[in-house]
Amino acid sequence: MKTASYAAEAAKDILHPYTIERRELHDKDVLIEIDYCGVCHTDLHFVNNDWGMTEYPVVPGHEIVGKITEVGSSVSKFKVGDTAAIGCMVNACGKCASCETGNEQYCHAGFTATYNSPIDDPGGFTYGGYSQRIVADESFILKIPVNLELTGTAPLLCAGITTYSPLQHWSVTKGMKVGVVGLGGLGHMGVKFAHAMGAHTVMITTTPEKGNDAKSLGADQVLVSTDTDAMAKEVGEFDFILNTIPVDHKIDPYLDLLKVDGTMCVVGAVEPLSQVNAAQLMFGRKKLAGSLIGGIQQTQDMLNFCGEHNIISDVEVIRMNQIQEAFERLVKSDVKYRFVIDMKSISAA
Amino acid sequence: MKTASYAAEAAKDILHPYTIERRELHDKDVLIEIDYCGVCHTDLHFVNNDWGMTEYPVVPGHEIVGKITEVGSSVSKFKVGDTAAIGCMVNACGKCASCETGNEQYCHAGFTATYNSPIDDPGGFTYGGYSQRIVADESFILKIPVNLELTGTAPLLCAGITTYSPLQHWSVTKGMKVGVVGLGGLGHMGVKFAHAMGAHTVMITTTPEKGNDAKSLGADQVLVSTDTDAMAKEVGEFDFILNTIPVDHKIDPYLDLLKVDGTMCVVGAVEPLSQVNAAQLMFGRKKLAGSLIGGIQQTQDMLNFCGEHNIISDVEVIRMNQIQEAFERLVKSDVKYRFVIDMKSISAA
């Protein structure tokens, strides 16, 4: 895996374009010394150029937590010494209907992603959190509740908001039956959130062995999707299903589980689903939806919610020079449930 | 087309199981002498057993209008001489969450369809509107506003409610931009309804020649989906799209047209859609939905709306003995926009 190893090299060698070596802090800019950065599957897709859009050199990483070491002259929300976070976005137009309603993730002009997005100042492309430091406008910086442990907080910035946002958008609450399909980085957060929101939370998995883990994460029930009898009993029972499976898969059995007017939201599969039975949507006015991360205010709300409910990700902390092994294990879903890089290790990478 | 001709034979020869020859009127039953019955593509699917579920002999027809000639002892909403209608359902459990909320079309026990559904009294299966008369409980009988011409009213009972229901459910109104994909029996009603609801109504069609017809039906704009430049200009512009295409098709170009949080509702394609790009749903929190006819109260609301706005279907009236030719033309979409059978012609069929 030459490209994965390339990412480690990049993280070690390339000057971060947002660091003060490359750009003086703007009035509203905040400089963060990065403590930890989560490893998202998207990072690997970019490293491997799976989506044909990577601009090398790429420095991945959009689950970033650290300490503020410098602030621009007009920064009002943060001060040096604060613990802070950056997620998947560092800018957006601020003027379109999406930005105006706090949905920067759907900015009509396209948001500036934390890595691999073109930028005017200093030019080139943004570099992400597999790095020592990062600079961004304070409006894209998040506050971290003081009670949250930092390594487990990092993945909240992508895996967390990606699952919290649809659960919150579709008003998941007590009295609802909610399914979470797939138990990985996203799924394990989905279970924690749906449970904390008060829903009867059902882990839906192909792997019976994951049942105990799911229950310890907060699942009230485990439904094994390969057990046709168990699935048949649950037809028409679910108000909402969060589908975190990251690849094409047969979605019909999950649509069957929805109640009339129920919604299944896909947050994992960015590749085309090879078959959707429209009749299953018709017979119950069901919805197949998608959702992408969340807006900045909603991300802050999610972090505050995590503070109130003591929710963090389950993580395995690695050193920078373990990134290649981590990528290899990620492909095999061999992680419970998110790798997080200790960025203090970068100088030794 | 032996089966199509069989349907004509059936309509002529088979005693309708709901007629008084077969069942005495229950206290709440209403007997309707049928004047006109619309020809829905579903009728042909059942005649041909396309869905593998036809119970022969089948008498199709679920767009039924006529005059009440007899009522049961406890009927309170109707009297002899009233003009009345029956749509796709003649019964439902009345007790489930769907029935209790006026969504009998999603009855958990399955509604009793106007034809080809099992019934206890008199046993066997229901027979539909290609017939002289029909009996049903008054709670499944609709009133027809006096100003509506009857031949054009018949298709409202399926094509009408199938398109009205999702437009109403997704709150289509003034200030919204609404697309209707496909200009057939369903699509032409979708255009009329969306326009009457005040939306900026766009007929989306592969066939530029249909543009003038669409405008005369009420479309404010015509978008030719094979014109890539025109389609590109409309990306992200639509609040809601009603998709009436009756077969599998590439839906990605239509999802592109939706705004953030927009919905495309499929009402035509009962066969599986061979590809849905979940990423298109994600990048904009879009929804792909389905919808099936409508509840009884909503069907009455639709008829009342048609009365207020003088909306009927554009129809071509045929005699019973022309049904085979009509089915053949239906397959070629050679009808503007719905065949309606004059049931007085049945004795000569």
Side-chain angles (χ1 to χ4, degrees), chain B residues 18 38 63 105 111 157 165 172 194 212 219-220 269 291 317 320 335:
Chain B
Y18 268 138
E63 298 180 337
Q105 76 274 34
F111 63 81
L157 279 303
S165 179
V172 164
N212 286 338
D220 300 291
S291 178
V317 180
M320 191 69 245
V335 54

Side-chain angles (χ1 to χ4, degrees), chain B residues 97-284:
Chain B
S98 288
C99 284
E100 282 181 347
T101 53
N103 288 299
E104 299 88 354
Q105 76 274 34
Y106 305 128
C107 174
H108 297 193
F111 63 81
T112 304
T114 302
Y115 62 86
N116 205 62
S117 262
I119 41 168
D120 292 335
D121 181 6
F125 291 80
T126 53
Y127 290 171
Y130 294 14
S131 180
Q132 295 100 327
R133 43 196 99 77
I134 187 167
V135 173
D137 187 283
E138 68 168 336
S139 57
F140 284 80
I141 311 274
L142 291 310
K143 292 174 195 258
I144 301 174
V146 290
N147 60 313
L148 295 184
E149 189 275 328
L150 279 193
T151 60
T153 297
L156 299 178
L157 279 303
C158 174
I161 186 62
T162 296
T163 50
Y164 176 91
S165 179
L167 292 168
Q168 198 270 343
H169 181 75
W170 274 277
S171 305
V172 164
T173 187
K174 195 169 174 175
M176 293 174 76
K177 187 164 179 172
V178 171
V180 178
V181 184
L183 186 59
L186 296 177
H188 97 289
M189 289 310 304
V191 168
K192 290 186 183 204
F193 284 134
H195 174 75
M197 289 171 180
H200 179 84
T201 303
V202 183
M203 178 74 237
I204 305 173
T205 176
T206 54
T207 316
E209 295 70 31
K210 289 188 177 175
N212 286 338
D213 280 1
K215 287 193 173 170
S216 73
L217 293 166
D220 300 291
Q221 185 186 339
V222 174
L223 176 58
V224 177
S225 56
T226 51
D227 180 341
T228 50
D229 288 345
M231 289 289 277
K233 278 185 200 147
E234 297 286 351
V235 165
E237 293 290 324
F238 286 74
D239 296 280
F240 184 79
I241 295 175
L242 183 70
N243 183 328
T244 73
I245 298 177
V247 293
D248 181 26
H249 61 286
K250 195 168 162 53
I251 67 163
D252 291 358
Y254 306 118
L255 292 177
D256 271 344
L257 300 178
L258 290 174
K259 284 183 185 172
V260 169
D261 287 323
T263 296
M264 178 161 79
C265 182
V266 172
V267 292
V270 292
E271 57 188 290
L273 299 170
S274 55
Q275 184 171 311
V276 174
N277 194 343
Q280 280 187 300
L281 299 172
M282 284 183 202
F283 286 82

Side-chain angles (χ1 to χ4, degrees), chain B residues 54-113:
Chain B
T54 304
E55 295 286 343
Y56 293 104
V58 60
V59 179
H62 55 206
E63 298 180 337
I64 300 164
V65 295
K67 284 222 166 41
I68 293 174
T69 54
E70 199 175 335
V71 296
S73 58
S74 302
V75 167
S76 59
K77 288 165 58 190
F78 298 92
K79 62 180 192 305
V80 170
D82 284 354
T83 304
I86 291 180
C88 303
M89 304 184 282
V90 290
N91 210 351
C93 84
K95 300 170 197 163
C96 70
S98 288
C99 284
E100 282 181 347
T101 53
N103 288 299
E104 299 88 354
Q105 76 274 34
Y106 305 128
C107 174
H108 297 193
F111 63 81
T112 304

Side-chain angles (χ1 to χ4, degrees), chain A residues 269 273-274 276 278 282 285 288 290, chain B residues 269 273-274 276 278 282 284-285 288 290:
Chain A
L273 299 169
S274 55
V276 174
M282 284 182 204
R285 200 163 47 197
L288 176 68
Chain B
L273 299 170
S274 55
V276 174
M282 284 183 202
R285 200 163 48 197
L288 177 67

